[in-house]
Amino acid sequence: MHFITRLLLLTLAVPHVSKGLEPPFPPNITEAINDFSNTSTLISINQLLAGIDPSALEAAFNTSANTNNTLPNPIASTFPNLTTAIINATYLVLPIDFALARSIVPNQYRILRESIQDALPGFPADKFPLLFSTQTDHDVQTAGLVIADFKNAYFRFPFVDLLGDGYSTFSYLPALIVTNNAVAIVANEAYGIDSIPAIFDPLLDPYSREPGTNRIYSNANRINSTGPPFLNTSFVTRAGRYGEVGAYPLSFYANVTNQPAFGCTNSSCLLTCDNQIRFFNTNVTAGQFRPLGIIGHVSLAPAIASGIRAFPQGGKWSHVHGVKAAVAFTENNYRNCSGLEGFQYLGV
């Protein structure tokens, strides 16, 4: 009960942040962000955590295995009452057929092709920029507690017209592959997102290299599986059209990763949105830690092995481009999606 009582502040909100701001943020920005902590949520964190086995809940706060290959959370002291962390991520843009994206995104929602072109001028009209990410959430702090590091991977379908207004962009997340952290699993399942517990190799380190090479890799396997990994990724850093950040502008990644996300597609769950704000303008995303372009491949086994129903036959994507970047974040969980009309990130 000690953990449950103190974790009631997990659901907190944040406004837009202007370009160039780095902690400590100006007082007016800090005050505005903290004011959002009083907004209501549609799902009770208290009820979610109360349903977790006490031993699993305690394990979720065991930080003894946390990775050291990362900077600390840069905004925890700025917003001590909010949930904050640093995400060490790699993002790869998978140019899939638009028809395939249309078959996966719930058919009651449009995909805003105009918004895709605004974010990526000249992107092929018959393709869709599916975003794949692997990431380690480190130094996750909330209400004075530190949650154990966890690693996850996901396929994100951006530019979805969830509200039907023709301009507000949301992202559909059908599934999340995640280390066996009970808080992370339950929190995502509450959105209607399929949470797939997995063991990653490397376990938590976000940027380990294959032995004897300069290739960064991350693989995932189902817990207790004796077969090969169902997810394989490998890439190298590479400059491109937009200089060091590679083939796509950094503004694209800031746009997509800050779109409110949802997973619920039917009456079996409650439609709520995750308004996670990733700051691309703090000290962990600058200087020697600046984003770098990458190129590599992603291989996903069929759903019978991966559990990802959106890709029943799996998929292989080679020579795809992306970016490697660490970002700070804070989060606004389980919000009414209509309250996020017109939301966009202005930090890049």
Side-chain angles (χ1 to χ4, degrees), residues 203-217:
L203 186 62
L204 287 173
D205 194 315
Y207 303 129
S208 287
R209 285 173 167 77
E210 296 173 349
T213 77
N214 65 346
R215 299 190 69 85
I216 299 171
Y217 77 103

Side-chain angles (χ1 to χ4, degrees), residues 23 34 60 70 101 104 109 114 117 130 137 139 146 193 317 327:
N34 286 322
T70 174
I104 295 173
Y109 306 125
E114 304 87 349
Q117 287 300 314
L130 174 63
D137 289 44
D139 199 12
V146 180
I193 299 171
W317 300 272
V327 296

Side-chain angles (χ1 to χ4, degrees), residues 29 79 90 242 246:
I29 294 294
F79 306 114
T90 58
Y242 290 91

Side-chain angles (χ1 to χ4, degrees), residues 46-58:
N46 189 28
Q47 292 179 357
L48 291 179
L49 297 179
I52 298 176
D53 179 82
S55 61
L57 186 62
E58 188 157 359

Side-chain angles (χ1 to χ4, degrees), residues 185-198:
I185 292 171
V186 169
N188 282 282
E189 286 180 339
Y191 285 106
I193 299 171
D194 289 342
S195 291
I196 301 167

Side-chain angles (χ1 to χ4, degrees), residues 239-253:
R241 176 184 176 188
Y242 290 91
E244 285 191 320
V245 298
Y248 304 105
L250 191 62
S251 59
F252 169 77
Y253 303 101

Side-chain angles (χ1 to χ4, degrees), residues 102-285:
R102 181 62 279 175
S103 71
I104 295 173
V105 172
N107 59 17
Q108 63 265 43
Y109 306 125
R110 288 179 57 212
I111 296 175
L112 296 173
R113 286 180 133 157
E114 304 87 349
S115 297
I116 295 174
Q117 287 300 314
D118 288 344
L120 291 176
F123 193 79
D126 61 343
K127 297 293 183 180
F128 177 86
L130 174 63
L131 188 72
F132 170 77
S133 177
T134 59
Q135 61 184 49
T136 297
D137 289 44
H138 173 70
D139 199 12
V140 184
Q141 299 192 34
T142 182
L145 293 175
V146 180
I147 299 174
D149 288 0
F150 59 92
K151 198 170 187 179
N152 59 91
Y154 59 81
F155 295 86
R156 187 179 189 118
F157 293 79
F159 304 107
V160 176
D161 189 8
L162 180 67
L163 302 182
D165 61 16
Y167 68 92
S168 299
T169 53
F170 290 74
S171 286
Y172 172 54
L173 270 66
L176 182 82
I177 305 162
V178 62
T179 48
N180 198 22
N181 182 300
V183 172
I185 292 171
V186 169
N188 282 282
E189 286 180 339
Y191 285 106
I193 299 171
D194 289 342
S195 291
I196 301 167
I199 297 176
F200 283 85
D201 172 28
L203 186 62
L204 287 173
D205 194 315
Y207 303 129
S208 287
R209 285 173 167 77
E210 296 173 349
T213 77
N214 65 346
R215 299 190 69 85
I216 299 171
Y217 77 103
S218 185
N219 303 324
N221 208 343
R222 301 293 288 270
I223 294 175
N224 299 323
S225 172
T226 58
F230 68 82
L231 176 70
N232 295 272
T233 70
S234 178
F235 51 86
V236 295
T237 56
R238 181 77 57 85
R241 176 184 176 188
Y242 290 91
E244 285 191 320
V245 298
Y248 304 105
L250 191 62
S251 59
F252 169 77
Y253 303 101
N255 178 330
V256 169
T257 60
N258 282 284
Q259 290 178 16
F262 71 101
C264 182
T265 62
N266 54 55
S267 60
S268 66
C269 51
L270 177 65
L271 178 61
T272 65
C273 282
D274 178 21
N275 186 203
Q276 185 181 90
I277 310 300
R278 303 190 186 202
F279 298 105
F280 281 72
N281 57 359
T282 73
N283 59 321
V284 301
T285 319

